[in-house]
mmCIF file of all heavy atoms in Angstrom:
data_model
loop_
_atom_site.group_PDB
_atom_site.id
_atom_site.type_symbol
_atom_site.label_atom_id
_atom_site.label_comp_id
_atom_site.label_asym_id
_atom_site.label_seq_id
_atom_site.Cartn_x
_atom_site.Cartn_y
_atom_site.Cartn_z
ATOM 1 N N PHE A 116 -44.557 -29.197 -29.972
ATOM 2 C CA PHE A 116 -43.349 -29.902 -29.534
ATOM 3 C C PHE A 116 -42.206 -29.713 -30.535
ATOM 4 O O PHE A 116 -42.444 -29.378 -31.712
ATOM 5 C CB PHE A 116 -43.654 -31.385 -29.295
ATOM 6 C CG PHE A 116 -44.305 -32.094 -30.452
ATOM 7 C CD1 PHE A 116 -43.551 -32.717 -31.435
ATOM 8 C CD2 PHE A 116 -45.690 -32.164 -30.549
ATOM 9 C CE1 PHE A 116 -44.143 -33.391 -32.494
ATOM 10 C CE2 PHE A 116 -46.304 -32.834 -31.603
ATOM 11 C CZ PHE A 116 -45.529 -33.445 -32.580
ATOM 12 N N PRO A 117 -40.957 -29.923 -30.118
ATOM 13 C CA PRO A 117 -39.804 -29.550 -30.940
ATOM 14 C C PRO A 117 -39.767 -30.153 -32.339
ATOM 15 O O PRO A 117 -39.430 -29.448 -33.294
ATOM 16 C CB PRO A 117 -38.604 -30.019 -30.099
ATOM 17 C CG PRO A 117 -39.087 -29.895 -28.692
ATOM 18 C CD PRO A 117 -40.532 -30.299 -28.735
ATOM 19 N N SER A 118 -40.093 -31.441 -32.485
ATOM 20 C CA SER A 118 -39.982 -32.021 -33.829
ATOM 21 C C SER A 118 -41.102 -31.567 -34.753
ATOM 22 O O SER A 118 -41.026 -31.782 -35.972
ATOM 23 C CB SER A 118 -39.924 -33.552 -33.757
ATOM 24 O OG SER A 118 -41.043 -34.085 -33.086
ATOM 25 N N ALA A 119 -42.147 -30.927 -34.210
ATOM 26 C CA ALA A 119 -43.174 -30.327 -35.060
ATOM 27 C C ALA A 119 -42.709 -28.981 -35.604
ATOM 28 O O ALA A 119 -43.192 -28.528 -36.645
ATOM 29 C CB ALA A 119 -44.472 -30.157 -34.279
ATOM 30 N N SER A 120 -41.770 -28.337 -34.899
ATOM 31 C CA SER A 120 -41.339 -26.989 -35.276
ATOM 32 C C SER A 120 -40.772 -26.909 -36.693
ATOM 33 O O SER A 120 -41.098 -25.969 -37.430
ATOM 34 C CB SER A 120 -40.316 -26.455 -34.260
ATOM 35 O OG SER A 120 -40.901 -26.318 -32.986
ATOM 36 N N PRO A 121 -39.905 -27.857 -37.118
ATOM 37 C CA PRO A 121 -39.375 -27.765 -38.481
ATOM 38 C C PRO A 121 -40.184 -28.545 -39.517
ATOM 39 O O PRO A 121 -39.833 -28.529 -40.696
ATOM 40 C CB PRO A 121 -37.971 -28.362 -38.337
ATOM 41 C CG PRO A 121 -38.122 -29.375 -37.253
ATOM 42 C CD PRO A 121 -39.183 -28.863 -36.321
ATOM 43 N N THR A 122 -41.241 -29.225 -39.107
ATOM 44 C CA THR A 122 -41.978 -30.084 -40.037
ATOM 45 C C THR A 122 -43.408 -29.591 -40.253
ATOM 46 O O THR A 122 -43.752 -29.065 -41.311
ATOM 47 C CB THR A 122 -41.991 -31.537 -39.524
ATOM 48 O OG1 THR A 122 -42.452 -31.562 -38.161
ATOM 49 C CG2 THR A 122 -40.600 -32.154 -39.599
ATOM 50 N N VAL A 123 -44.261 -29.709 -39.251
ATOM 51 C CA VAL A 123 -45.667 -29.347 -39.397
ATOM 52 C C VAL A 123 -45.881 -27.837 -39.362
ATOM 53 O O VAL A 123 -46.618 -27.280 -40.179
ATOM 54 C CB VAL A 123 -46.514 -30.023 -38.293
ATOM 55 C CG1 VAL A 123 -47.968 -29.570 -38.368
ATOM 56 C CG2 VAL A 123 -46.413 -31.529 -38.394
ATOM 57 N N VAL A 124 -45.226 -27.172 -38.424
ATOM 58 C CA VAL A 124 -45.523 -25.755 -38.175
ATOM 59 C C VAL A 124 -45.212 -24.850 -39.368
ATOM 60 O O VAL A 124 -46.057 -24.015 -39.743
ATOM 61 C CB VAL A 124 -44.796 -25.276 -36.904
ATOM 62 C CG1 VAL A 124 -44.965 -23.766 -36.716
ATOM 63 C CG2 VAL A 124 -45.349 -26.010 -35.685
ATOM 64 N N PRO A 125 -44.057 -24.950 -40.031
ATOM 65 C CA PRO A 125 -43.812 -24.058 -41.175
ATOM 66 C C PRO A 125 -44.856 -24.215 -42.272
ATOM 67 O O PRO A 125 -45.286 -23.226 -42.880
ATOM 68 C CB PRO A 125 -42.417 -24.483 -41.659
ATOM 69 C CG PRO A 125 -41.765 -25.075 -40.452
ATOM 70 C CD PRO A 125 -42.870 -25.781 -39.723
ATOM 71 N N ARG A 126 -45.266 -25.461 -42.540
ATOM 72 C CA ARG A 126 -46.273 -25.689 -43.577
ATOM 73 C C ARG A 126 -47.622 -25.125 -43.161
ATOM 74 O O ARG A 126 -48.374 -24.577 -43.971
ATOM 75 C CB ARG A 126 -46.372 -27.186 -43.872
ATOM 76 C CG ARG A 126 -45.086 -27.770 -44.469
ATOM 77 C CD ARG A 126 -45.099 -29.294 -44.431
ATOM 78 N NE ARG A 126 -46.189 -29.845 -45.214
ATOM 79 C CZ ARG A 126 -46.604 -31.106 -45.111
ATOM 80 N NH1 ARG A 126 -46.019 -31.921 -44.227
ATOM 81 N NH2 ARG A 126 -47.580 -31.546 -45.852
ATOM 82 N N LEU A 127 -47.933 -25.243 -41.878
ATOM 83 C CA LEU A 127 -49.192 -24.679 -41.367
ATOM 84 C C LEU A 127 -49.199 -23.161 -41.531
ATOM 85 O O LEU A 127 -50.180 -22.578 -42.025
ATOM 86 C CB LEU A 127 -49.362 -25.060 -39.900
ATOM 87 C CG LEU A 127 -50.525 -24.385 -39.156
ATOM 88 C CD1 LEU A 127 -51.854 -24.850 -39.726
ATOM 89 C CD2 LEU A 127 -50.453 -24.667 -37.666
ATOM 90 N N ARG A 267 -40.410 -40.525 -36.455
ATOM 91 C CA ARG A 267 -40.196 -40.248 -37.874
ATOM 92 C C ARG A 267 -40.173 -38.738 -38.139
ATOM 93 O O ARG A 267 -39.416 -38.243 -38.977
ATOM 94 C CB ARG A 267 -41.291 -40.912 -38.711
ATOM 95 C CG ARG A 267 -41.058 -40.801 -40.216
ATOM 96 C CD ARG A 267 -42.148 -41.506 -41.009
ATOM 97 N NE ARG A 267 -42.175 -42.934 -40.774
ATOM 98 C CZ ARG A 267 -41.385 -43.816 -41.384
ATOM 99 N NH1 ARG A 267 -40.471 -43.394 -42.245
ATOM 100 N NH2 ARG A 267 -41.508 -45.106 -41.131
ATOM 101 N N MET A 268 -41.004 -37.985 -37.423
ATOM 102 C CA MET A 268 -41.065 -36.544 -37.616
ATOM 103 C C MET A 268 -39.723 -35.894 -37.291
ATOM 104 O O MET A 268 -39.295 -34.945 -37.949
ATOM 105 C CB MET A 268 -42.178 -35.955 -36.746
ATOM 106 C CG MET A 268 -42.694 -34.603 -37.198
ATOM 107 S SD MET A 268 -44.073 -34.026 -36.168
ATOM 108 C CE MET A 268 -45.366 -35.149 -36.706
ATOM 109 N N ALA A 269 -39.043 -36.406 -36.259
ATOM 110 C CA ALA A 269 -37.728 -35.869 -35.901
ATOM 111 C C ALA A 269 -36.700 -36.200 -36.982
ATOM 112 O O ALA A 269 -35.891 -35.344 -37.371
ATOM 113 C CB ALA A 269 -37.285 -36.432 -34.556
ATOM 114 N N VAL A 270 -36.725 -37.427 -37.491
ATOM 115 C CA VAL A 270 -35.785 -37.838 -38.540
ATOM 116 C C VAL A 270 -36.009 -37.022 -39.807
ATOM 117 O O VAL A 270 -35.058 -36.665 -40.512
ATOM 118 C CB VAL A 270 -35.936 -39.346 -38.820
ATOM 119 C CG1 VAL A 270 -35.129 -39.761 -40.046
ATOM 120 C CG2 VAL A 270 -35.495 -40.161 -37.595
ATOM 121 N N ALA A 271 -37.282 -36.692 -40.083
ATOM 122 C CA ALA A 271 -37.607 -35.942 -41.296
ATOM 123 C C ALA A 271 -37.269 -34.464 -41.180
ATOM 124 O O ALA A 271 -37.328 -33.732 -42.176
ATOM 125 C CB ALA A 271 -39.093 -36.091 -41.613
ATOM 126 N N SER A 272 -36.892 -34.002 -39.998
ATOM 127 C CA SER A 272 -36.681 -32.574 -39.803
ATOM 128 C C SER A 272 -35.318 -32.083 -40.289
ATOM 129 O O SER A 272 -35.073 -30.884 -40.295
ATOM 130 C CB SER A 272 -36.860 -32.221 -38.312
ATOM 131 O OG SER A 272 -35.833 -32.803 -37.522
ATOM 132 N N PHE A 273 -34.421 -33.008 -40.692
ATOM 133 C CA PHE A 273 -33.110 -32.615 -41.211
ATOM 134 C C PHE A 273 -32.578 -33.741 -42.087
ATOM 135 O O PHE A 273 -33.001 -34.896 -41.962
ATOM 136 C CB PHE A 273 -32.132 -32.322 -40.060
ATOM 137 C CG PHE A 273 -31.851 -33.516 -39.175
ATOM 138 C CD1 PHE A 273 -30.765 -34.339 -39.415
ATOM 139 C CD2 PHE A 273 -32.706 -33.820 -38.122
ATOM 140 C CE1 PHE A 273 -30.514 -35.440 -38.614
ATOM 141 C CE2 PHE A 273 -32.462 -34.923 -37.315
ATOM 142 C CZ PHE A 273 -31.365 -35.731 -37.558
ATOM 143 N N LEU A 316 -52.431 -31.561 -42.705
ATOM 144 C CA LEU A 316 -50.979 -31.676 -42.828
ATOM 145 C C LEU A 316 -50.470 -32.983 -42.223
ATOM 146 O O LEU A 316 -49.574 -33.627 -42.779
ATOM 147 C CB LEU A 316 -50.307 -30.496 -42.140
ATOM 148 C CG LEU A 316 -50.475 -29.143 -42.853
ATOM 149 C CD1 LEU A 316 -49.957 -28.017 -41.979
ATOM 150 C CD2 LEU A 316 -49.751 -29.154 -44.193
ATOM 151 N N THR A 320 -48.523 -36.003 -44.072
ATOM 152 C CA THR A 320 -47.217 -36.427 -43.560
ATOM 153 C C THR A 320 -47.128 -37.923 -43.373
ATOM 154 O O THR A 320 -46.113 -38.556 -43.660
ATOM 155 C CB THR A 320 -46.915 -35.720 -42.218
ATOM 156 O OG1 THR A 320 -46.885 -34.308 -42.424
ATOM 157 C CG2 THR A 320 -45.579 -36.176 -41.664
#
Side-chain angles (χ1 to χ4, degrees):
F116 53 90
S118 57
S120 296
T122 52
V123 176
V124 174
R126 296 166 62 196
L127 172 66
R267 186 178 296 277
M268 201 177 289
V270 171
S272 67
F273 62 93
L316 289 171
T320 299

